Amino acid sequence: MNLSTMRAKATLAISLLVMTFGVSACNSTPEPPIAAAAPVAAAPPPAPGVIGGAIGQSLTEKDRAVAIAAQQEAVSSGVRKSWRGENGAYGFVTPGAEGGACRDYTHKVFINGRPQEAKGQACRQNGEWRVTG
């Protein structure tokens, strides 16, 4: 094969490549820009103990925080603790006797003057009382 034949074949090969990729590039449609996903807010963790159940669903966020604080204080101290929320809800937590590493408690909540009562449990974990149910 002589030099001019090799040049002709190389030129033909390059031309075919340019045409193939050039045509495909012209016929392609640009991808739409990918929209940045909006950050998804994580759901707040469930409230601990009795307030995390049906009773807590009837409370505002602020009242629920006050009730949770009273619940924690009562089980930690072993002394009955009352609380009053901003929107008229109120209640009290009565801890039971310490039985080993755990103690039961009763949380009575008044919403719109109607009493609701539930029982829960707290246990010592790493030297601190934690509401477990």
Side-chain angles (χ1 to χ4, degrees):
M1 185 178 320
N2 67 24
L3 185 59
S4 66
T5 305
M6 286 175 37
R7 283 186 185 156
K9 285 186 176 187
T11 304
L12 179 62
I14 291 172
S15 297
L16 287 173
L17 285 173
V18 168
M19 286 176 34
T20 302
F21 288 109
V23 169
S24 67
C26 292
N27 290 335
S28 65
T29 55
E31 292 292 320
I34 298 173
V40 177
V50 169
I51 297 303
I55 293 174
Q57 299 303 314
S58 302
L59 298 172
T60 65
E61 189 175 329
K62 287 182 179 182
D63 288 356
R64 194 170 24 257
V66 172
I68 290 169
Q71 184 173 270
Q72 183 62 45
E73 188 175 329
V75 298
S76 296
S77 68
V79 177
R80 179 180 156 155
K81 177 71 180 163
S82 60
W83 61 272
R84 181 168 297 278
E86 293 180 346
N87 297 308
Y90 64 97
F92 55 87
V93 184
T94 306
E98 191 174 333
C102 296
R103 72 167 26 125
D104 293 332
Y105 67 92
T106 302
H107 198 146
K108 193 164 195 172
V109 178
F110 294 84
I111 301 171
N112 296 326
R114 295 189 176 122
Q116 299 180 50
E117 184 176 281
K119 297 185 182 295
Q121 187 178 64
C123 297
R124 258 189 211 281
Q125 297 175 358
N126 299 325
E128 294 183 27
W129 285 97
R130 304 263 185 209
V131 172
T132 57

